[in-house]
Coordinates of all heavy atoms in Angstrom, one line a residue:
M1 N 0.8 -1.2 0.0 CA 0.0 0.0 0.0 C 0.9 1.2 0.0 O 2.1 1.2 0.3 CB -0.9 0.0 1.2 CG -0.2 0.2 2.5 SD -1.4 0.2 3.9 CE -0.9 -1.4 4.5
R2 N 0.3 2.4 -0.3 CA 1.0 3.6 -0.3 C 0.2 4.6 0.5 O -1.0 4.5 0.7 CB 1.1 4.2 -1.7 CG 1.9 3.3 -2.7 CD 1.9 3.9 -4.1 NE 2.2 2.9 -5.1 CZ 3.4 2.4 -5.3 NH1 4.4 2.8 -4.5 NH2 3.6 1.5 -6.2
R3 N 1.0 5.7 1.0 CA 0.3 6.7 1.8 C -0.9 7.3 1.0 O -0.8 7.5 -0.2 CB 1.3 7.8 2.1 CG 0.7 8.8 3.1 CD 1.6 9.9 3.4 NE 0.9 10.8 4.3 CZ 1.3 11.3 5.4 NH1 2.6 11.0 5.8 NH2 0.6 12.0 6.2
D4 N -1.9 7.6 1.8 CA -3.1 8.2 1.3 C -4.0 7.3 0.4 O -5.0 7.8 -0.1 CB -2.8 9.6 0.6 CG -2.4 10.6 1.6 OD1 -2.8 10.6 2.7 OD2 -1.6 11.5 1.2
E5 N -3.6 6.1 0.3 CA -4.5 5.2 -0.4 C -5.7 4.8 0.5 O -5.6 4.8 1.7 CB -3.8 3.9 -0.9 CG -3.0 4.1 -2.1 CD -2.3 2.8 -2.6 OE1 -2.1 1.9 -1.7 OE2 -2.1 2.7 -3.7
H6 N -6.8 4.5 -0.2 CA -7.9 3.8 0.5 C -7.6 2.3 0.4 O -7.5 1.8 -0.7 CB -9.2 4.2 -0.2 CG -10.4 3.5 0.4 ND1 -11.0 4.1 1.5 CD2 -11.0 2.4 0.2 CE1 -12.0 3.3 1.9 NE2 -12.0 2.2 1.1
V7 N -7.5 1.7 1.6 CA -7.0 0.3 1.6 C -8.2 -0.6 2.0 O -9.0 -0.2 2.9 CB -5.9 0.1 2.6 CG1 -5.5 -1.4 2.7 CG2 -4.7 0.9 2.3
R8 N -8.4 -1.7 1.3 CA -9.5 -2.6 1.6 C -8.8 -4.0 1.7 O -8.1 -4.4 0.8 CB -10.5 -2.6 0.4 CG -11.7 -3.6 0.7 CD -12.7 -3.6 -0.5 NE -13.3 -2.3 -0.6 CZ -13.3 -1.5 -1.7 NH1 -12.8 -2.0 -2.8 NH2 -13.9 -0.4 -1.7
I9 N -9.1 -4.7 2.8 CA -8.6 -6.0 3.0 C -9.7 -6.9 3.3 O -10.5 -6.7 4.2 CB -7.6 -6.0 4.2 CG1 -6.4 -5.1 3.9 CG2 -7.1 -7.5 4.5 CD1 -5.4 -4.9 5.1
R10 N -9.8 -8.0 2.5 CA -10.8 -9.0 2.7 C -10.2 -10.2 3.4 O -9.2 -10.7 2.9 CB -11.4 -9.5 1.4 CG -12.4 -10.6 1.6 CD -13.0 -11.2 0.3 NE -13.8 -10.2 -0.3 CZ -13.7 -9.9 -1.6 NH1 -12.9 -10.6 -2.4 NH2 -14.5 -9.0 -2.2
M11 N -10.7 -10.6 4.5 CA -10.2 -11.8 5.3 C -11.2 -12.9 5.2 O -12.4 -12.7 5.4 CB -10.0 -11.4 6.8 CG -8.9 -10.4 7.0 SD -8.8 -9.8 8.7 CE -10.2 -8.7 8.8
T12 N -10.8 -14.1 4.9 CA -11.6 -15.3 4.9 C -11.0 -16.3 5.9 O -9.8 -16.6 5.8 CB -11.6 -15.9 3.5 OG1 -12.1 -15.0 2.5 CG2 -12.5 -17.2 3.5
N13 N -11.8 -16.7 6.8 CA -11.3 -17.5 7.9 C -11.6 -19.0 7.6 O -12.7 -19.5 7.6 CB -12.0 -17.2 9.2 CG -11.5 -18.0 10.4 OD1 -10.7 -18.9 10.2 ND2 -11.9 -17.6 11.6
R14 N -10.5 -19.7 7.2 CA -10.6 -21.1 6.8 C -10.5 -22.1 7.9 O -10.6 -23.3 7.7 CB -9.6 -21.5 5.7 CG -9.7 -20.6 4.5 CD -8.6 -20.9 3.5 NE -8.5 -19.8 2.5 CZ -9.3 -19.8 1.4 NH1 -10.2 -20.8 1.2 NH2 -9.2 -18.9 0.5
S15 N -10.4 -21.5 9.1 CA -10.3 -22.4 10.3 C -11.7 -22.5 11.0 O -12.6 -21.8 10.6 CB -9.3 -21.8 11.3 OG -10.0 -20.8 12.1
P16 N -11.9 -23.4 11.9 CA -13.2 -23.5 12.6 C -13.4 -22.6 13.7 O -14.5 -22.6 14.3 CB -13.2 -25.0 13.1 CG -11.7 -25.3 13.3 CD -11.0 -24.5 12.3
V17 N -12.5 -21.8 14.1 CA -12.6 -20.9 15.3 C -12.5 -19.4 14.9 O -11.9 -19.1 13.9 CB -11.5 -21.2 16.4 CG1 -11.6 -22.6 16.8 CG2 -10.1 -20.9 15.8
V18 N -13.2 -18.6 15.7 CA -13.2 -17.1 15.4 C -11.8 -16.6 15.7 O -11.0 -17.0 16.6 CB -14.2 -16.4 16.3 CG1 -13.9 -16.5 17.8 CG2 -14.4 -15.0 15.9
H19 N -11.4 -15.6 14.9 CA -10.1 -14.9 15.1 C -10.4 -13.4 15.2 O -10.9 -12.7 14.2 CB -9.2 -15.1 13.9 CG -8.7 -16.5 13.8 ND1 -7.9 -17.1 14.7 CD2 -9.0 -17.4 12.9 CE1 -7.7 -18.4 14.3 NE2 -8.4 -18.6 13.2
P20 N -10.2 -12.8 16.4 CA -10.4 -11.3 16.5 C -9.1 -10.6 16.0 O -8.1 -10.6 16.6 CB -10.5 -11.1 18.1 CG -9.8 -12.3 18.7 CD -9.9 -13.4 17.7
M21 N -9.3 -10.0 14.8 CA -8.1 -9.5 14.1 C -8.0 -8.0 14.5 O -8.9 -7.2 14.4 CB -8.3 -9.6 12.6 CG -8.3 -11.1 12.2 SD -6.9 -12.0 12.6 CE -5.6 -11.2 11.7
H22 N -6.8 -7.6 14.8 CA -6.5 -6.3 15.4 C -5.3 -5.6 14.6 O -4.3 -6.3 14.3 CB -6.0 -6.5 16.8 CG -5.5 -5.2 17.5 ND1 -6.3 -4.1 17.6 CD2 -4.4 -4.9 18.1 CE1 -5.6 -3.1 18.2 NE2 -4.5 -3.6 18.5
L23 N -5.6 -4.4 14.2 CA -4.6 -3.6 13.4 C -4.1 -2.5 14.3 O -4.9 -1.7 14.8 CB -5.2 -3.1 12.1 CG -4.4 -2.1 11.3 CD1 -3.1 -2.8 10.8 CD2 -5.2 -1.6 10.1
H24 N -2.8 -2.3 14.4 CA -2.2 -1.2 15.1 C -2.1 0.0 14.1 O -2.0 -0.1 12.9 CB -0.8 -1.6 15.5 CG -0.7 -2.6 16.6 ND1 0.1 -2.5 17.7 CD2 -1.4 -3.8 16.8 CE1 -0.1 -3.5 18.5 NE2 -1.0 -4.3 18.0
G25 N -2.1 1.2 14.7 CA -1.8 2.4 14.0 C -3.0 3.0 13.2 O -2.8 4.1 12.6
H26 N -4.1 2.3 13.1 CA -5.2 2.8 12.3 C -6.5 2.3 12.9 O -6.6 1.3 13.6 CB -5.2 2.3 10.9 CG -4.0 2.5 10.1 ND1 -2.8 1.8 10.3 CD2 -3.7 3.5 9.2 CE1 -1.9 2.3 9.6 NE2 -2.4 3.3 8.8
F27 N -7.6 3.1 12.7 CA -8.9 2.6 12.9 C -9.4 2.2 11.5 O -9.1 2.9 10.5 CB -9.8 3.6 13.5 CG -9.5 3.8 15.0 CD1 -8.6 4.8 15.4 CD2 -10.0 3.0 15.9 CE1 -8.3 5.0 16.7 CE2 -9.7 3.2 17.3 CZ -8.9 4.2 17.7
F28 N -10.3 1.2 11.4 CA -10.8 0.8 10.1 C -12.3 0.7 10.2 O -12.9 0.7 11.3 CB -10.2 -0.5 9.7 CG -10.3 -1.6 10.7 CD1 -11.5 -2.3 10.9 CD2 -9.2 -2.0 11.4 CE1 -11.6 -3.4 11.8 CE2 -9.2 -3.1 12.3 CZ -10.4 -3.7 12.5
R29 N -12.9 0.8 9.0 CA -14.4 0.7 8.9 C -14.7 -0.8 8.6 O -14.1 -1.4 7.7 CB -14.9 1.6 7.8 CG -14.9 3.0 8.1 CD -15.8 3.8 7.2 NE -16.0 5.1 7.7 CZ -17.0 5.4 8.6 NH1 -17.9 4.5 8.9 NH2 -17.1 6.6 9.1
V30 N -15.8 -1.2 9.2 CA -16.5 -2.5 8.8 C -17.9 -2.1 8.6 O -18.6 -1.9 9.6 CB -16.3 -3.6 9.9 CG1 -17.0 -4.9 9.5 CG2 -14.8 -3.8 10.3
G31 N -18.3 -2.0 7.4 CA -19.6 -1.4 7.2 C -19.6 0.0 7.7 O -18.8 0.8 7.3
D32 N -20.6 0.4 8.6 CA -20.7 1.7 9.1 C -19.9 1.8 10.5 O -19.8 2.9 11.0 CB -22.2 2.1 9.4 CG -22.9 2.3 8.1 OD1 -22.3 2.6 7.1 OD2 -24.1 2.1 8.1
A33 N -19.4 0.8 11.0 CA -18.7 0.8 12.3 C -17.3 1.1 12.1 O -16.6 0.8 11.1 CB -18.9 -0.5 13.0
V34 N -16.7 1.8 13.1 CA -15.3 2.2 13.1 C -14.7 1.4 14.3 O -15.1 1.5 15.4 CB -15.1 3.7 13.3 CG1 -13.6 4.0 13.4 CG2 -15.7 4.4 12.2
K35 N -13.6 0.6 14.0 CA -13.0 -0.3 15.0 C -11.5 -0.4 14.8 O -11.0 0.1 13.8 CB -13.6 -1.7 14.7 CG -15.1 -1.9 14.8 CD -15.5 -3.2 14.2 CE -17.0 -3.5 14.5 NZ -17.1 -4.3 15.7
D36 N -10.9 -1.0 15.8 CA -9.5 -1.4 15.6 C -9.3 -2.9 15.7 O -8.2 -3.5 15.6 CB -8.5 -0.6 16.5 CG -8.6 -1.0 17.9 OD1 -9.4 -1.8 18.3 OD2 -7.9 -0.3 18.7
T37 N -10.4 -3.6 16.1 CA -10.4 -5.1 16.2 C -11.7 -5.6 15.6 O -12.8 -5.0 15.9 CB -10.2 -5.5 17.6 OG1 -9.1 -4.9 18.2 CG2 -10.1 -7.0 17.8
V38 N -11.7 -6.7 14.9 CA -13.0 -7.2 14.4 C -12.9 -8.7 14.4 O -11.9 -9.3 14.0 CB -13.2 -6.7 12.9 CG1 -12.2 -7.2 11.9 CG2 -14.6 -7.1 12.5
P39 N -13.9 -9.4 14.9 CA -13.9 -10.8 14.9 C -14.3 -11.4 13.5 O -15.2 -10.9 12.9 CB -15.1 -11.2 15.9 CG -16.0 -10.0 15.9 CD -15.1 -8.8 15.6
V40 N -13.5 -12.3 13.1 CA -13.7 -13.0 11.8 C -14.2 -14.4 12.1 O -13.5 -15.2 12.7 CB -12.4 -13.1 10.9 CG1 -12.8 -13.7 9.6 CG2 -11.8 -11.7 10.8
P41 N -15.5 -14.7 11.8 CA -16.1 -15.9 12.2 C -15.4 -17.1 11.5 O -14.9 -17.0 10.4 CB -17.5 -15.8 11.8 CG -17.8 -14.4 11.5 CD -16.4 -13.8 11.2
G42 N -15.4 -18.3 12.2 CA -14.8 -19.5 11.6 C -15.7 -20.0 10.5 O -16.7 -19.5 10.1
H43 N -15.2 -21.1 9.9 CA -15.9 -21.8 8.9 C -16.2 -21.0 7.7 O -17.4 -20.8 7.3 CB -17.2 -22.4 9.4 CG -17.0 -23.4 10.6 ND1 -16.5 -24.7 10.4 CD2 -17.2 -23.2 11.9 CE1 -16.4 -25.3 11.6 NE2 -16.8 -24.4 12.5
M44 N -15.1 -20.3 7.1 CA -15.2 -19.5 5.9 C -15.9 -18.2 6.1 O -16.4 -17.6 5.2 CB -15.9 -20.3 4.8 CG -15.1 -21.6 4.4 SD -13.4 -21.3 4.0 CE -13.6 -20.6 2.3
G45 N -16.0 -17.7 7.4 CA -16.5 -16.4 7.6 C -15.6 -15.3 6.9 O -14.4 -15.5 6.8
Q46 N -16.3 -14.3 6.4 CA -15.6 -13.2 5.7 C -15.8 -11.9 6.3 O -17.0 -11.6 6.7 CB -16.0 -13.2 4.2 CG -15.4 -14.3 3.4 CD -15.4 -14.0 1.9 OE1 -16.2 -13.1 1.4 NE2 -14.6 -14.7 1.1
V47 N -14.8 -11.1 6.4 CA -14.9 -9.7 6.9 C -14.1 -8.8 6.0 O -12.9 -9.2 5.6 CB -14.5 -9.5 8.3 CG1 -14.4 -8.1 8.8 CG2 -15.4 -10.3 9.3
I48 N -14.6 -7.7 5.6 CA -13.8 -6.7 4.8 C -13.6 -5.5 5.7 O -14.5 -4.9 6.3 CB -14.6 -6.3 3.5 CG1 -14.7 -7.5 2.6 CG2 -13.9 -5.1 2.8 CD1 -15.6 -7.2 1.4
I49 N -12.3 -5.1 5.8 CA -12.0 -3.8 6.5 C -11.5 -2.8 5.5 O -10.9 -3.2 4.5 CB -10.9 -4.1 7.6 CG1 -9.6 -4.5 7.1 CG2 -11.4 -5.2 8.6 CD1 -8.5 -4.5 8.1
E50 N -11.7 -1.5 5.8 CA -11.3 -0.5 4.9 C -10.7 0.7 5.8 O -11.3 1.0 6.9 CB -12.5 0.1 4.1 CG -13.1 -1.0 3.2 CD -14.2 -0.4 2.4 OE1 -13.9 0.3 1.4 OE2 -15.4 -0.7 2.7
F51 N -9.6 1.2 5.4 CA -9.1 2.4 6.1 C -8.3 3.2 5.2 O -7.9 2.9 4.1 CB -8.2 1.9 7.3 CG -7.0 1.0 6.9 CD1 -5.8 1.6 6.7 CD2 -7.2 -0.3 6.8 CE1 -4.7 0.8 6.4 CE2 -6.1 -1.1 6.5 CZ -4.8 -0.6 6.3
H52 N -8.0 4.5 5.6 CA -7.2 5.4 4.9 C -5.8 5.3 5.4 O -5.5 5.4 6.6 CB -7.8 6.9 5.2 CG -7.1 7.9 4.5 ND1 -6.9 9.2 5.0 CD2 -6.5 7.9 3.2 CE1 -6.3 9.9 4.1 NE2 -6.0 9.2 3.0
A53 N -4.9 5.1 4.5 CA -3.5 4.9 4.9 C -2.8 6.3 5.2 O -2.1 6.9 4.3 CB -2.7 4.2 3.7
D54 N -3.1 6.7 6.4 CA -2.6 8.1 6.7 C -1.7 8.1 7.9 O -1.5 9.2 8.5 CB -3.9 9.0 7.1 CG -4.7 8.4 8.2 OD1 -4.3 7.3 8.7 OD2 -5.6 9.0 8.6
N55 N -1.0 7.0 8.2 CA -0.1 6.9 9.3 C 1.1 6.0 9.0 O 1.1 4.9 9.4 CB -0.9 6.4 10.6 CG -0.1 6.6 11.8 OD1 1.0 7.2 11.8 ND2 -0.5 5.9 12.9
P56 N 2.0 6.5 8.1 CA 3.1 5.7 7.6 C 3.9 5.0 8.8 O 4.1 5.6 9.8 CB 4.0 6.7 6.8 CG 3.1 7.8 6.5 CD 2.1 7.9 7.6
G57 N 4.4 3.9 8.5 CA 5.2 3.2 9.4 C 5.1 1.7 9.2 O 4.7 1.2 8.2
R58 N 5.4 0.9 10.3 CA 5.3 -0.5 10.3 C 4.3 -0.9 11.4 O 4.5 -0.6 12.5 CB 6.7 -1.2 10.6 CG 7.7 -0.9 9.5 CD 9.1 -1.1 10.0 NE 9.3 -2.4 10.6 CZ 9.6 -3.5 10.0 NH1 9.8 -3.5 8.7 NH2 9.7 -4.7 10.6
W59 N 3.2 -1.5 11.0 CA 2.1 -1.8 11.9 C 1.7 -3.2 11.9 O 1.5 -3.9 10.9 CB 0.9 -1.0 11.4 CG 1.2 0.5 11.4 CD1 1.3 1.3 10.3 CD2 1.4 1.4 12.5 NE1 1.6 2.6 10.7 CE2 1.7 2.7 12.0 CE3 1.4 1.2 13.9 CZ2 1.9 3.7 12.9 CZ3 1.6 2.3 14.7 CH2 1.9 3.5 14.2
L60 N 1.7 -3.7 13.2 CA 1.3 -5.1 13.4 C -0.2 -5.3 13.1 O -1.0 -4.5 13.5 CB 1.7 -5.6 14.8 CG 1.9 -7.1 15.0 CD1 3.0 -7.6 14.1 CD2 2.3 -7.3 16.5
F61 N -0.4 -6.4 12.4 CA -1.8 -6.8 12.1 C -1.9 -8.3 12.5 O -1.2 -9.1 11.9 CB -2.1 -6.6 10.6 CG -3.5 -7.0 10.1 CD1 -4.6 -6.6 10.8 CD2 -3.6 -7.7 9.0 CE1 -5.9 -6.9 10.4 CE2 -4.9 -8.1 8.5 CZ -6.0 -7.6 9.2
H62 N -2.7 -8.5 13.6 CA -2.6 -9.9 14.2 C -3.9 -10.3 14.8 O -4.7 -9.5 15.1 CB -1.4 -9.9 15.2 CG -1.7 -9.0 16.4 ND1 -2.3 -9.4 17.5 CD2 -1.5 -7.6 16.6 CE1 -2.4 -8.4 18.4 NE2 -1.9 -7.3 17.9
C63 N -3.9 -11.6 15.1 CA -5.0 -12.1 15.9 C -4.8 -11.8 17.3 O -3.7 -11.8 17.8 CB -5.1 -13.7 15.7 SG -6.4 -14.4 16.7
H64 N -5.9 -11.3 18.0 CA -5.8 -10.9 19.4 C -5.9 -12.0 20.4 O -5.7 -11.8 21.6 CB -6.9 -9.8 19.7 CG -6.4 -8.7 20.4 ND1 -5.8 -8.8 21.7 CD2 -6.2 -7.4 20.1 CE1 -5.4 -7.6 22.1 NE2 -5.7 -6.7 21.1
N65 N -6.1 -13.2 19.9 CA -5.9 -14.4 20.8 C -4.4 -14.6 20.9 O -3.8 -15.0 19.9 CB -6.6 -15.6 20.2 CG -8.1 -15.6 20.4 OD1 -8.6 -14.8 21.2 ND2 -8.8 -16.4 19.6
L66 N -3.9 -14.5 22.1 CA -2.4 -14.4 22.3 C -1.8 -15.8 21.9 O -0.7 -15.8 21.4 CB -2.0 -14.0 23.7 CG -2.4 -12.6 24.0 CD1 -1.9 -12.2 25.4 CD2 -1.9 -11.6 23.0
Y67 N -2.5 -16.9 22.1 CA -1.9 -18.2 21.7 C -1.9 -18.3 20.2 O -1.1 -19.0 19.7 CB -2.6 -19.3 22.4 CG -4.1 -19.4 22.3 CD1 -4.8 -20.1 21.3 CD2 -4.9 -18.6 23.1 CE1 -6.1 -20.2 21.2 CE2 -6.3 -18.6 23.0 CZ -6.9 -19.4 22.1 OH -8.3 -19.4 22.0
H68 N -2.8 -17.6 19.5 CA -2.7 -17.6 18.0 C -1.5 -16.7 17.6 O -0.8 -17.0 16.7 CB -4.0 -17.1 17.4 CG -5.1 -18.1 17.6 ND1 -6.4 -17.8 17.3 CD2 -5.1 -19.4 18.0 CE1 -7.2 -18.8 17.5 NE2 -6.4 -19.8 17.9
L69 N -1.4 -15.5 18.2 CA -0.3 -14.6 17.9 C 1.0 -15.3 18.2 O 1.9 -15.3 17.3 CB -0.4 -13.4 18.8 CG 0.7 -12.3 18.7 CD1 0.9 -11.9 17.3 CD2 0.4 -11.2 19.6
D70 N 1.1 -16.0 19.3 CA 2.4 -16.7 19.6 C 2.7 -17.8 18.5 O 3.8 -18.1 18.3 CB 2.3 -17.4 21.0 CG 2.4 -16.4 22.1 OD1 2.8 -15.3 21.9 OD2 2.1 -16.8 23.3
A71 N 1.6 -18.3 17.9 CA 1.8 -19.4 16.9 C 2.1 -18.7 15.5 O 2.3 -19.5 14.6 CB 0.6 -20.2 16.8
G72 N 2.2 -17.4 15.5 CA 2.6 -16.8 14.2 C 1.5 -16.1 13.4 O 1.7 -15.7 12.3
M73 N 0.3 -15.9 14.0 CA -0.8 -15.3 13.2 C -0.7 -13.8 13.3 O -1.4 -13.1 14.0 CB -2.1 -15.8 13.8 CG -3.3 -15.6 12.9 SD -4.8 -16.3 13.5 CE -5.9 -15.8 12.2
A74 N 0.3 -13.3 12.5 CA 0.6 -11.9 12.5 C 1.4 -11.5 11.2 O 2.1 -12.3 10.7 CB 1.5 -11.5 13.7
R75 N 1.1 -10.3 10.8 CA 1.8 -9.8 9.7 C 2.1 -8.3 10.0 O 1.5 -7.7 10.8 CB 1.0 -9.8 8.3 CG 0.8 -11.2 7.8 CD 2.0 -11.9 7.4 NE 1.8 -13.2 6.8 CZ 1.8 -14.3 7.5 NH1 2.0 -14.3 8.8 NH2 1.6 -15.5 6.9
V76 N 3.1 -7.8 9.3 CA 3.4 -6.3 9.4 C 2.9 -5.7 8.1 O 3.3 -6.1 7.0 CB 4.9 -6.1 9.6 CG1 5.2 -4.6 9.5 CG2 5.4 -6.7 10.9
L77 N 2.1 -4.6 8.3 CA 1.7 -3.8 7.2 C 2.7 -2.6 7.2 O 2.8 -1.9 8.2 CB 0.3 -3.3 7.3 CG -0.8 -4.3 7.4 CD1 -2.2 -3.7 7.5 CD2 -0.7 -5.3 6.2
R78 N 3.3 -2.3 6.1 CA 4.3 -1.3 6.0 C 4.1 -0.3 4.8 O 3.8 -0.8 3.7 CB 5.7 -1.9 5.9 CG 6.8 -1.0 5.8 CD 8.1 -1.8 5.9 NE 8.2 -2.8 4.8 CZ 8.8 -2.5 3.7 NH1 9.4 -1.4 3.4 NH2 8.9 -3.5 2.7
Y79 N 4.2 0.9 5.1 CA 4.2 1.9 4.0 C 5.0 3.1 4.5 O 5.1 3.4 5.7 CB 2.9 2.2 3.4 CG 1.9 2.9 4.4 CD1 1.6 4.2 4.4 CD2 1.2 2.1 5.3 CE1 0.7 4.8 5.2 CE2 0.2 2.6 6.1 CZ 0.0 4.0 6.1 OH -0.9 4.5 7.0
V80 N 5.5 3.9 3.5 CA 6.3 5.0 3.9 C 5.7 6.3 3.4 O 4.7 6.3 2.7 CB 7.7 4.9 3.2 CG1 8.4 3.6 3.8 CG2 7.6 4.8 1.7
E81 N 6.3 7.4 3.8 CA 5.8 8.8 3.4 C 5.7 8.9 1.9 O 6.5 8.4 1.2 CB 6.8 9.9 3.9 CG 6.9 10.0 5.4 CD 5.7 10.7 5.9 OE1 4.9 11.3 5.2 OE2 5.5 10.7 7.2
Ligands
CU101 CU1 -6.9 -16.3 16.2

């Protein structure tokens, strides 16, 4: 992504358990709601998040269940000025 882009991320949960996905550094929209964490239901549940890329840096995007985070369920979203 690049600064000032409108970013849309679609998540599909192929596991049987819910994953509360949390993004650092931004609030995002899910429909009309503004959040920084959203539960993605199990069994192919889908959630789309959208946000304005207005805070350059390196931001962790991860499952908020700490045992999932410890198992590696995390990525870094990165963009620069
Ligand atoms: Cu999880």
Side-chain angles (χ1 to χ4, degrees):
M1 70 182 103
R2 299 180 199 285
R3 186 183 179 132
D4 289 328
E5 280 184 333
H6 180 86
V7 178
R8 180 180 298 124
I9 298 174
R10 175 184 296 136
M11 295 176 279
T12 303
N13 184 351
R14 300 176 192 278
S15 83
V17 299
V18 64
H19 295 289
M21 297 303 296
H22 175 56
L23 175 62
H24 290 225
H26 303 78
F27 289 94
F28 52 77
R29 287 195 164 275
V30 180
D32 290 334
V34 178
K35 302 165 167 266
D36 68 1
T37 305
V38 63
V40 183
H43 301 286
M44 301 303 286
Q46 286 199 339
V47 172
I48 295 172
I49 68 171
E50 299 182 74
F51 60 93
H52 183 212
D54 59 356
N55 192 11
R58 293 161 53 88
W59 299 109
L60 202 58
F61 181 45
H62 65 92
C63 181
H64 225 297
N65 284 344
L66 293 184
Y67 51 98
H68 292 168
L69 175 58
D70 285 346
M73 196 171 177
R75 293 292 183 272
V76 174
L77 301 185
R78 178 171 59 92
Y79 60 101
V80 296
E81 292 283 348

